[in-house]
Amino acid sequence: MERIEEIKKVIEEKMNKVNSLEELNDLKVLFLGKKGLITEVQGMIKEIPNDSKKEFGMKVNEVRTLFNTIYEEIKNKLEEEKINKKLKEEAIDITLPSEKIETGSIHPFNRIIMEVEDLFVSMGYDVVDGNEIETDEYCFKRLNVPDGHPARDSQDTFYITEEYLLRTQTSTAQAHTMEENKEKGPIRIICPGKVYRRDDDATHSHQFGQVEGLVVDKDISLADLKGTLEIFAKRLLGENTKVRFRPSYFPFTEPSVEVDLSCFKCGGKGCALCKQTGWIEVLGAGMVHPNVLRMGGYDPEVYTGFAFGTGLDRLAMFKYNIPDIRYLYTNDVRFLKEFDRKDEE
Ligand code: DAH
């Protein structure tokens, strides 16, 4: 019994000095381990005379409970302290200024494609992808430009083989779309993309962007073409933009027109950009030639259509006020940065 009282004292004394969970664990071993002090007195029960066994057993339990209670208390306290310390150390000061994250911007060439696509999709058009590597057949023959046709001269072509070439115009989408429309039903598509020509001088690049549009249906007229291009021009360049048709020639349309837009810089009064004419030539267009419809599997007696094509680079230059086409291709970061978050302005 005396031993038990002694142990109680040791418990109180030692437990008071505990500073860490490790030390606490050591004490657990000291008191309750295999050779621990409490375990030891518990073992003595065999030697205790029967009439005192009960009392002795209760005392042992008492000291064990005492140890466990203090142990739990200290353990909880130390664990809480540990967590608090950790939280304090890892605290983040959210009021500190952060490092500026550099983000890229959408390239004006992609931006103009996105704008044109949005505009036509809102009018019910599908966007189709053509191939940059094409065959002579789809780039020329099916667009009513047979071998030896003089129109081939104006589109100096990069031939890969006798048959394959880099497309010189996105009009190639016309022949593909008509052919792929198995039901020979109505068509309403645009096809934006890159085209290639053997040109490079100060004002021409061997690679540039075009967007082609094609509508085929019953009773489509030149008035539909004009209305469509008017919506296109006004939405892209402003409500006051006017559209003018001039007669022209393209092999794949009849009649063909050249489409001018009123100069968005001077509003039509005349300036250096429009060479004092008040107009800027922007698109080629016309009514789809019966031969092209026929080659695409459409009966020109039943169906009519219109088509138009324009240069994306020029559109981007007009829309974003870019003075030199080369800015679009040299990827000068200072220039590209000007397009940062432009759409949020
Ligand atoms: N493909 C022509 C070019 O590259 C542009 C064009 C003119 C497209 C008239 C058309 C069109 O669809 O009808 O110069």
Side-chain angles (χ1 to χ4, degrees):
M1 292 291 195
E2 257 168 51
R3 181 79 181 123
I4 291 175
E5 286 310 311
E6 252 175 58
I7 293 174
K8 276 189 185 169
K9 274 194 202 126
V10 181
I11 290 176
E12 266 153 28
E13 193 182 301
K14 296 235 180 228
M15 292 297 244
N16 265 335
K17 293 185 191 145
V18 170
N19 277 323
S20 70
L21 286 164
E22 289 73 33
E23 280 174 36
L24 186 67
N25 216 30
D26 289 346
L27 288 185
K28 191 168 189 175
V29 175
L30 177 70
F31 289 99
L32 294 178
K34 248 189 195 161
K35 289 182 180 160
L37 300 176
I38 297 174
T39 321
E40 194 190 326
V41 285
Q42 197 172 358
M44 287 175 182
I45 200 155
K46 286 178 254 145
E47 294 145 34
I48 303 293
N50 273 349
D51 55 352
S52 316
K53 259 197 185 19
K54 194 176 167 197
E55 195 193 346
F56 184 80
M58 277 163 66
K59 282 274 173 202
V60 173
N61 273 342
E62 214 176 86
V63 74
R64 180 188 282 276
T65 311
L66 174 76
F67 177 83
N68 281 335
T69 313
I70 301 179
Y71 175 86
E72 282 304 318
E73 227 170 70
I74 297 181
K75 188 171 164 240
N76 288 343
K77 195 180 109 212
L78 288 173
E79 273 175 354
E80 202 179 308
E81 274 172 19
K82 197 172 164 184
I83 290 173
N84 284 341
K85 192 167 162 233
K86 204 166 172 205
L87 285 176
K88 214 168 171 182
E89 278 167 9
E90 290 176 4
I92 295 169
D93 182 354
I94 55 164
T95 62
L96 282 175
S98 64
E99 262 175 47
K100 193 171 181 295
I101 298 170
E102 291 276 338
T103 53
S105 55
I106 298 174
H107 193 282
F109 187 75
N110 289 331
R111 189 178 290 269
I112 196 77
I113 291 180
M114 285 158 73
E115 287 202 37
V116 172
E117 283 182 358
D118 276 357
L119 210 152
F120 279 100
V121 166
S122 78
M123 294 197 276
Y125 285 61
D126 289 327
V127 178
V128 305
D129 266 339
N131 305 319
E132 289 181 21
I133 295 179
E134 257 303 345
T135 55
D136 185 275
E137 179 172 351
Y138 285 90
C139 195
F140 295 121
K141 291 195 187 86
R142 290 203 183 210
L143 288 166
N144 205 28
V145 189
D147 280 337
H149 192 287
R152 289 187 177 224
D153 292 348
S154 63
Q155 298 194 359
D156 258 345
T157 312
F158 285 114
Y159 277 91
I160 298 166
T161 63
E162 287 238 327
E163 191 190 354
Y164 287 99
L165 47 81
L166 295 180
R167 70 174 171 197
T168 57
Q169 50 185 354
T170 43
S171 306
T172 47
Q174 291 195 22
H176 282 295
T177 311
M178 285 188 216
E179 184 179 73
E180 281 156 23
N181 191 320
K182 295 279 177 260
E183 298 93 51
K184 300 301 163 205
I187 292 174
R188 229 183 262 123
I189 57 115
I190 57 161
C191 173
K194 288 180 189 138
V195 298
Y196 303 84
R197 291 186 196 177
R198 278 174 49 189
D199 257 343
D200 56 18
D201 56 38
T203 52
H204 293 93
S205 160
H206 58 276
Q207 175 212 294
F208 55 101
Q210 277 192 342
V211 57
E212 180 78 11
L214 173 71
V215 170
V216 177
D217 206 338
K218 290 173 183 155
D219 300 323
I220 296 290
S221 74
L222 201 68
D224 296 314
L225 172 64
K226 192 156 189 206
T228 304
L229 294 182
E230 252 165 26
I231 294 174
F232 169 65
K234 284 179 195 293
R235 292 232 199 122
L236 199 72
L237 298 171
E239 268 311 300
N240 297 327
T241 313
K242 291 189 190 61
V243 176
R244 171 174 95 169
F245 278 13
R246 275 182 294 111
S248 184
Y249 171 78
F250 296 102
F252 28 86
T253 42
E254 182 58 39
S256 301
V257 291
E258 211 103 49
V259 184
D260 298 338
L261 305 184
S262 56
C263 179
F264 48 87
K265 195 146 197 186
C266 63
K269 286 190 209 87
C271 68
L273 185 73
C274 59
K275 300 194 182 83
Q276 310 305 329
T277 63
W279 295 95
I280 294 182
E281 184 194 318
V282 177
L283 296 104
M287 300 306 292
V288 181
H289 197 291
N291 287 350
V292 176
L293 284 169
R294 213 172 284 120
M295 282 186 274
Y298 281 79
D299 180 354
E301 299 297 327
V302 182
Y303 279 97
T304 48
F306 66 71
F308 57 87
T310 183
L312 286 167
D313 314 67
R314 265 162 72 77
L315 284 187
M317 288 170 73
F318 296 155
K319 170 94 195 182
Y320 309 128
N321 215 349
I322 300 169
D324 188 324
I325 190 167
R326 285 167 294 193
Y327 283 141
L328 284 173
Y329 296 106
T330 41
N331 287 333
D332 183 330
V333 176
R334 290 166 302 179
F335 164 73
L336 295 176
K337 272 207 167 305
E338 289 186 23
F339 291 87
D340 254 355
R341 313 238 150 82
K342 259 251 158 69
D343 37 19
E344 285 161 30
E345 280 167 15

